[in-house]
Amino acid sequence: MAFLPDEARALPPPSLFNRASVWLGFVGWMTAMLHNTFNHRPVLRAGIHRQVLFTTVGWFAGYYLMKRTEYFYAKVDREMLEYVRHHPEDFKIAG
């Protein structure tokens, strides 16, 4: 992958049905619908192949964006826990 470092491979993959995939798949499908509308074609019946293509591209773009997001949050969590481990005096347990 071009946008993720090799250490991101250690993370579990996100679900195929995540909110980013669903949302961007829907946006891709609506883009195909708008393209048909602007070109005065039947909205649902024209360019079925384009609808499938745009939906698929949106779905996989959402998948990889979710993968990048999960890597980013895992990296932030790792750095935060590392800081807590090296500075225990700042994080005393109240009790």
Side-chain angles (χ1 to χ4, degrees):
M1 263 183 282
F3 299 112
L4 288 175
D6 290 336
E7 65 184 10
R9 293 182 189 190
L11 294 174
S15 170
L16 281 177
F17 297 100
N18 59 59
R19 67 181 183 271
S21 292
V22 171
W23 176 248
L24 288 177
F26 177 72
V27 167
W29 182 66
M30 289 306 295
T31 302
M33 298 290 106
L34 285 172
H35 186 262
N36 286 342
T37 302
F38 292 149
N39 290 316
H40 302 291
R41 296 181 183 141
V43 176
L44 290 173
R45 292 181 296 148
I48 300 295
H49 62 286
R50 194 178 318 108
Q51 294 175 30
V52 171
L53 175 69
F54 285 13
T55 302
T56 304
V57 168
W59 192 275
F60 284 106
Y63 176 80
Y64 285 108
L65 282 174
M66 183 58 68
K67 195 168 192 168
R68 182 166 174 76
T69 301
E70 287 182 359
Y71 167 71
F72 174 76
Y73 286 128
K75 183 178 162 188
V76 168
D77 286 347
R78 183 186 67 211
E79 290 168 357
M80 181 180 60
L81 290 174
E82 189 69 19
Y83 180 82
V84 169
R85 191 170 65 88
H86 285 298
H87 300 90
E89 65 280 355
D90 294 337
F91 303 95
K92 294 187 192 279
I93 297 175

